[in-house]
Amino acid sequence: MSADKNKQLQAKADKQAGRKLMYEGHAWAGIGLGLLMFIVCFSGVVALFTDEVGLWEDKRLRRAYSGPEFSLDKTVKAADAMFEGDANFVVAVPPNEFYPLARIFLRDVDTGHSQNFNFDPETNEMLHTSDDGVGHFLAHMHTDLHLPKPWGRYLVGFMGVVLMFSIITGVIIHKKILKELFSFRVGRSLRLMITDSHKAMSVWGLIFHAMIGFTGALIGLSGILLLIAAGAAYKGDTAAAQAAILGTPPQHVGEATPMTNLDELQAKATQMQPGTVMETAIIQNFGDKNAYIEFNLDIPNVTRAALAPRGSVSFHAVTGEFLSSKDWHASGIGMRIYYSIVPLHYATYGGVALKVLYALLGISTSMLSISGILLWMERRTGRKGNEAMNSYRWLSALSVGVCGGMVLATASAFLAQHMAVAAGYSVTETIVGNTYFTVWVLSIIFAFGLGNAYKSTKLLLQASAAVSILVPVANGVLTSDHLFKTLLAGEWAVALVDLTMLSAGALLIYSASKIPLERPEMIRHRKVAAQPAE
Amino acid sequence: MTAGKAISALIGGLLVAIFGGAFLNIYLPYDLAADRLIIGAILMPVIWSIAGIMFCTVKSTLKAWGYAGLIILITGSANAYAIMGGAGA
């Protein structure tokens, strides 16, 4: 009997020790990489709206969506004539409800040089290249952290793995997940509020956090993953592995030859898969005697409402000869997953409402890192001793500077965009980038200099709110496209950016109003000390 | 938790993911090579996370390396057998 009891006690102790180790793993991942996680997640929220910001940042690109029709042939050939270099890879995207312009992307595969061209779909006139500006800058921040390629992308992908690790350990260490869904104790201590917020945000957004970590890891690490797959299944032959997934690419002949009429090929492709429209067109070996064009097709009206395109049709782009037709929905599960990863990560499959939902959930993913760090710090400050207080001070200053500073830097980058255009700069990315990093670094220095995490958070949030509200005002004054005008003209993308900045400003003012100027315990201690001794 | 354990979880987890993922790339029971490649590749980050958790939960880091080594040995041998022409794509 006693032996049984001892066994039970031992099993219970082992279980608790295992849970403690898991908790420590969760805390280690959060404290060690929490700030980087915030940077990746917060920049990801902004990157969701890259298309909309692209239209917002340049007045010349603004117009209402008038349908997907445009001339593929004229726009591709016009873009090629303007391309600085020898383009041999082309991607064409027709106008859609998120971006009402035709986009032609050209790349010189040999030098790596690429350019994006925007065309008016009605006149086929080139409006602007969109390789610079705040939208491009902030999207690059999310995908590569502005680090050298491919290391930035690998680091972002690794953060996806860390997010999955944190989610799995978090689920295991929290025994009462269902109870935590509805547990939010208002008006109690700060530590309880942070604990409840952390758990509620984790549990309510669990599926989203897991999906975003998983797809992010795949997108970021796809280069390495393909290398491993090629190493194992194709004896290191990456090209063979790529061919197994995407088909064998056409051989480059090296003889310059004009392309056939691409509009006719587009019409043929949609006839071959009736009831479909072009989603993208990809031309390999463009300008070469052996050029191929592949049309990715989808059903109209649900374009971008399906995760993977319906199918594709390929032609020889010089002779017009039919090469192949594929129905992705009828092929293997692997291809459907492959085509679903990017739309799933960037919310390009369900309209503006879905993007807004993604943004809200993405903010909650970002807030998980901050609440996790705060929780860890609050627990440590409960312990006595100088070491705990010192680590509290520097970690809180760093967290406030990095996270609060990033919000302020992002809002400032939007403002800098319009200021740079108003000042007559044609290429704005350098100014936007300099503003962004200067504001961010100054915010970190400010947080360390002030030495009071509460006060610096409050001030940084107030500054971010002021700049966020200034952004739509500057847009209205400098481009004369104020919010009411864009709403009435049906320029939803531009209106959405202005509305988002105004809402963010209001939210930041509210959040700042709820933060005390110093640690509540300090205020309480001072009050107690100030009371006259009886 | 020690720094050694955290680093072991990171590196050991990655090694298990590489060998385990490669194993799936070869042996997953799909007819199409593309399916094996894609599903094997997408499971690698998941294996990395779970193997990392294994390193955190097993009390002794040495014992955790033992388990990881065993998985690497089994999957690595199977992969080597396939690469040398025994099986797989």
Side-chain angles (χ1 to χ4, degrees):
Chain A
M1 188 71 181
S2 166
D4 280 353
K5 201 170 180 184
N6 277 344
K7 248 184 199 173
Q8 279 175 357
L9 284 171
Q10 185 60 42
K12 199 178 172 187
D14 284 348
K15 206 175 168 186
Q16 278 174 345
R19 204 182 289 278
K20 188 171 178 285
L21 278 168
M22 196 81 82
Y23 172 80
E24 284 178 353
H26 186 78
W28 262 74
I31 298 305
L33 298 160
L35 293 180
L36 188 56
M37 184 71 79
F38 176 85
I39 293 169
V40 174
C41 294
F42 185 75
S43 60
V45 172
V46 185
L48 281 171
F49 299 99
T50 305
D51 282 355
E52 289 80 358
V53 175
L55 295 171
W56 177 89
E57 70 191 27
D58 194 327
K59 187 176 164 57
R60 287 168 292 182
L61 304 182
R62 296 175 183 177
R63 61 208 59 224
Y65 175 55
S66 58
E69 295 79 22
F70 79 113
S71 171
L72 176 67
D73 192 66
K74 282 182 186 162
T75 51
V76 167
K77 286 170 185 171
D80 181 44
M82 284 177 274
F83 185 70
E84 297 150 2
D86 189 14
N88 42 24
F89 180 76
V90 179
V91 179
V93 184
N96 58 53
E97 65 271 35
F98 294 132
Y99 204 86
L101 306 170
R103 279 173 289 184
I104 310 295
F105 169 84
L106 289 107
R107 186 179 176 84
D108 182 342
V109 176
D110 304 322
T111 63
H113 172 64
S114 61
Q115 270 181 286
N116 255 315
F117 296 90
N118 290 286
F119 286 87
D120 184 322
E122 287 170 19
T123 62
N124 297 314
E125 174 201 356
M126 208 286 279
L127 299 169
H128 184 51
T129 58
S130 61
D131 281 342
D132 61 352
V134 64
H136 185 255
F137 174 84
L138 293 174
H140 193 229
M141 182 69 200
H142 177 63
T143 57
D144 295 84
L145 299 171
H146 288 281
L147 293 172
K149 277 184 179 173
W151 305 110
R153 191 155 296 203
Y154 290 165
L155 185 57
V156 174
F158 173 63
M159 292 316 294
V161 178
V162 174
L163 183 56
M164 285 198 295
F165 173 88
S166 303
I167 290 167
I168 300 169
T169 49
V171 167
I172 296 169
I173 59 177
H174 293 125
K175 290 175 278 184
K176 297 166 186 165
I177 281 191
L178 281 177
K179 195 181 164 192
E180 281 161 2
L181 270 172
F182 307 101
S183 170
F184 204 86
R185 289 159 283 187
V186 186
R188 302 279 291 276
S189 73
L190 181 72
R191 189 172 142 183
L192 270 181
M193 198 189 82
I194 301 167
T195 308
D196 289 346
S197 312
H198 187 75
K199 289 178 182 173
M201 282 189 295
S202 311
V203 180
W204 279 104
L206 185 65
I207 294 170
F208 175 81
H209 306 315
M211 178 278 292
I212 220 76
F214 179 59
T215 51
L218 291 176
I219 296 168
L221 298 172
S222 59
I224 298 178
L225 297 178
L226 186 69
L227 267 180
I228 296 167
Y234 290 88
K235 300 177 178 68
D237 187 350
T238 323
Q242 213 158 4
I245 299 170
L246 300 171
T248 312
Q251 289 298 308
H252 185 256
V253 176
E255 196 179 316
T257 314
M259 302 292 98
T260 186
N261 189 316
L262 301 176
D263 289 336
E264 286 174 13
L265 294 185
Q266 185 189 341
K268 261 194 211 174
T270 47
Q271 276 167 14
M272 292 178 82
Q273 293 201 3
T276 59
V277 289
M278 179 181 109
E279 199 182 52
T280 53
I282 299 166
I283 311 175
Q284 295 191 65
N285 291 343
F286 179 75
D288 188 74
K289 195 179 177 181
N290 197 25
Y292 284 18
I293 182 164
E294 182 183 25
F295 293 97
N296 283 312
L297 304 164
D298 214 331
I299 300 161
N301 304 324
V302 291
T303 303
R304 288 182 166 238
L307 275 173
R310 184 81 221 170
S312 74
V313 177
S314 300
F315 297 98
H316 197 287
V318 174
T319 63
E321 178 198 348
F322 166 72
L323 297 171
S324 66
S325 175
K326 289 167 190 160
D327 180 354
W328 296 126
H329 289 228
S331 62
I333 190 171
M335 289 313 292
R336 275 178 281 157
I337 292 174
Y338 177 80
Y339 276 113
S340 306
I341 292 165
V342 172
L344 200 55
H345 191 79
Y346 284 104
T348 56
Y349 61 95
V352 172
L354 185 81
K355 275 199 183 186
V356 173
L357 180 67
Y358 259 60
L360 293 173
L361 288 165
I363 290 169
S364 80
T365 316
S366 319
M367 294 304 292
L368 281 181
S369 325
I370 304 178
S371 55
I373 293 171
L374 284 174
L375 203 56
W376 186 81
M377 285 194 305
E378 284 298 323
R379 279 184 183 155
R380 277 183 74 87
T381 45
R383 298 175 195 169
K384 286 180 181 170
N386 283 339
E387 201 192 324
M389 271 324 277
N390 282 340
S391 63
Y392 168 80
R393 277 196 200 100
W394 77 259
L395 189 58
S396 59
L398 186 69
S399 306
V400 170
V402 169
C403 302
M406 190 180 180
V407 178
L408 180 59
T410 305
S412 306
F414 276 86
L415 197 59
Q417 170 69 35
H418 272 324
M419 295 295 186
V421 172
Y425 288 94
S426 57
V427 179
T428 55
E429 191 153 343
T430 314
I431 294 167
V432 167
N434 288 343
T435 308
Y436 183 84
F437 287 116
T438 307
V439 170
W440 201 0
V441 170
L442 287 176
S443 302
I444 296 170
I445 295 170
F446 169 76
F448 271 97
L450 204 62
N452 175 343
Y454 284 81
K455 196 173 179 182
S456 50
T457 306
K458 195 177 179 86
L459 292 173
L460 281 174
L461 289 183
Q462 284 171 340
S464 306
V467 178
S468 300
I469 291 167
L470 264 179
V471 169
V473 175
N475 182 36
V477 172
L478 298 172
T479 71
S480 75
D481 285 352
H482 52 78
L483 183 58
F484 296 113
K485 193 176 166 188
T486 50
L487 278 174
L488 288 173
E491 292 171 12
W492 301 113
V494 181
L496 180 71
V497 176
D498 279 349
L499 275 172
T500 306
M501 295 310 281
L502 282 175
S503 316
L507 189 70
L508 288 165
I509 290 174
Y510 176 77
S511 308
S513 73
K514 292 286 165 195
I515 295 172
L517 274 169
E518 59 182 319
R519 219 177 129 70
E521 280 80 359
M522 298 286 276
I523 301 171
R524 257 199 311 277
H525 283 312
R526 212 174 30 246
K527 274 184 186 165
V528 170
Q531 278 172 359
E534 285 177 16
Chain B
M1 183 188 238
T2 61
K5 207 171 183 65
I7 294 166
S8 292
L10 194 70
I11 297 170
L14 177 64
L15 286 173
V16 171
I18 289 173
F19 282 87
F23 178 82
L24 296 176
N25 286 148
I26 297 169
Y27 292 101
L28 270 175
Y30 288 104
D31 293 335
L32 293 172
D35 288 350
R36 282 198 300 274
L37 280 179
I38 293 167
I39 294 170
I42 67 171
L43 287 175
M44 276 186 222
V46 181
I47 300 171
W48 194 355
S49 312
I50 293 169
I53 290 166
M54 184 271 286
F55 270 90
C56 293
T57 39
V58 175
K59 259 191 215 166
S60 153
T61 309
L62 201 67
K63 204 173 174 184
W65 269 111
Y67 290 143
L70 196 64
I71 297 168
I72 290 168
L73 189 73
I74 294 167
T75 52
S77 308
N79 296 345
Y81 173 69
I83 289 168
M84 285 155 67

